[in-house]
Amino acid sequence: MAPSEKSRGGEAVVIPGGFAVLSLQFSADSGSQHKLYVKEHRVRVETRTHRPLDRTLFLLNVPPYCSQSTLSHIFSRFGAVVSVELSDRPGSAPAPEVKLSPLFKPAGKQGFKVGYVVFRRAKSIRLAKSHPHNVPLLVSTEQRLVTTGLQKWAQQYRQAIVSPEELQQSVDAFMLQYDQRKEEQAKEQEKEAEEQKEDEEGWVKVTRASKGTKARPHSEAANQKAIQKETRKKKRKELMNFYTWQHRNTQKEHIADLRKKFEEDKQRISLLRAQRKFRPY
């Protein structure tokens, strides 16, 4: 059960910006404290349903040794915690999800973060903001130990070691999914190629394009042909007639070729006329 405000000693401290100051102490034996700044999460453009504006507490200056489970345990003294979210910077945009196996996920960014704590009741927000700044919140207790420093590094190192059997199973599962995707793509391409083939009368089925665009066969093969055609066209134009004198010389050579062909055609025509002339003797 969450303690009431009157049962606590001291007063809450509120700094400019509406943030209340909470003191964090790593353990009962620690001599230093860390300041955590909290306030009620109220953003007009917030559209995410899992951050209700009346039950979400926004945290600043969250230390690296505080994980989601640790924050959930710390703030559970003010009321039941529904969820805890940590991020590198504040914002309503969702963090990009890395679709990788847990064995290949990169290590998270280390440093101070911002957090969002969602309570089950709105009363817990008021209790957390009114907590006295001179009464520190313990991070690591006998009931719930939090490792840090060399112990944390050794624990992460041991967890990073994967058995060959588990690694082989993960690789096999990934390759199986990859082969299935490739087979589906090949079947779709074959189906589109069959649809784009000409029938007996020479007609080709095309899809309806958007207004103002020219309809064309909608298939991967047709797209590849169009891309190859554009690439060849660009290569032909590449570095041709780059300078003015090159363009002028090209025009002169073209005119000379036309004149040469004209003279050859004149000689050919005169020869044909001479061969058709009537000669009685």
Side-chain angles (χ1 to χ4, degrees):
M1 182 176 180
S4 62
E5 298 179 36
K6 294 182 180 180
S7 63
R8 306 189 192 103
E11 298 179 353
V13 175
V14 180
I15 62 175
F19 287 94
V21 181
L22 298 181
S23 298
L24 288 182
Q25 188 171 334
F26 185 77
S27 63
D29 300 333
S30 300
S32 60
Q33 296 181 358
H34 179 81
K35 300 302 180 183
L36 196 67
Y37 307 102
V38 302
K39 75 173 182 178
E40 188 175 358
H41 177 60
R42 289 194 176 277
V43 182
R44 293 181 180 179
V45 297
E46 181 64 80
T47 58
R48 306 181 72 179
T49 57
H50 66 280
R51 290 183 189 171
L53 298 181
D54 58 336
R55 294 186 289 113
T56 304
L57 188 68
F58 177 59
L59 315 180
L60 278 181
N61 202 32
V62 179
Y65 52 80
C66 282
S67 61
Q68 294 180 352
S69 59
T70 303
L71 290 176
S72 178
H73 175 70
I74 292 173
F75 285 93
S76 62
R77 64 178 297 170
F78 305 115
V81 176
V82 177
S83 64
V84 177
E85 181 182 355
L86 291 176
S87 179
D88 294 333
R89 59 181 63 86
S92 58
E97 183 180 357
V98 182
K99 295 182 179 180
L100 292 175
S101 170
L103 305 178
F104 300 100
K105 282 188 177 180
K109 182 179 179 181
Q110 299 295 327
F112 292 89
K113 297 184 178 182
V114 300
Y116 300 89
V117 179
V118 180
F119 291 98
R120 184 172 298 174
R121 296 182 180 180
K123 180 182 177 181
S124 302
I125 301 289
R126 181 170 54 85
L127 293 176
K129 292 174 61 177
S130 60
H131 185 75
H133 74 284
N134 56 353
V135 179
L137 302 173
L138 295 181
V139 176
S140 179
T141 60
E142 294 181 357
Q143 295 77 14
R144 189 179 180 87
L145 294 175
V146 177
T147 58
T148 184
L150 186 60
Q151 294 179 353
K152 183 178 180 180
W153 178 85
Q155 181 181 359
Q156 292 177 349
Y157 177 77
R158 287 192 295 267
Q159 292 176 354
I161 300 175
V162 184
S163 62
E165 294 79 9
E166 186 179 358
L167 180 60
Q168 186 64 44
Q169 292 178 0
S170 178
V171 172
D172 293 341
F174 175 81
M175 293 305 300
L176 181 61
Q177 295 177 359
Y178 177 80
D179 294 338
Q180 291 177 354
R181 289 197 303 268
K182 283 296 183 181
E183 290 179 0
E184 292 176 358
Q185 292 177 0
K187 290 180 180 179
E188 291 179 359
Q189 292 179 0
E190 290 178 0
K191 184 178 179 180
E192 290 178 354
E194 289 292 335
E195 292 178 353
Q196 301 304 327
K197 284 184 178 180
E198 296 182 357
D199 56 12
E200 295 179 356
E201 298 180 356
W203 293 92
V204 178
K205 182 181 177 181
V206 295
T207 57
R208 184 177 181 180
S210 58
K211 187 176 181 181
T213 59
K214 185 179 179 181
R216 60 181 178 82
H218 182 71
S219 66
E220 188 66 23
N223 292 340
Q224 291 295 334
K225 289 181 180 179
I227 293 173
Q228 292 175 2
K229 185 177 180 181
E230 290 294 330
T231 304
R232 289 194 298 268
K233 189 175 180 181
K234 288 181 180 179
K235 286 184 178 180
R236 287 197 300 267
K237 291 184 177 180
E238 200 172 19
L239 297 180
M240 289 181 63
N241 302 332
F242 184 77
Y243 297 102
T244 306
W245 62 270
Q246 290 180 335
H247 183 65
R248 187 165 53 248
N249 291 344
T250 304
Q251 287 182 338
K252 289 181 179 179
E253 292 176 358
H254 182 61
I255 293 173
D257 292 339
L258 291 177
R259 287 177 177 173
K260 183 179 179 181
K261 290 181 180 179
F262 178 71
E263 294 295 334
E264 292 177 354
D265 292 340
K266 283 176 62 177
Q267 295 178 4
R268 190 178 298 108
I269 291 172
S270 60
L271 181 61
L272 291 174
R273 286 178 179 176
Q275 291 176 355
R276 293 176 60 188
K277 188 175 181 181
F278 178 70
R279 295 179 180 178
Y281 303 103

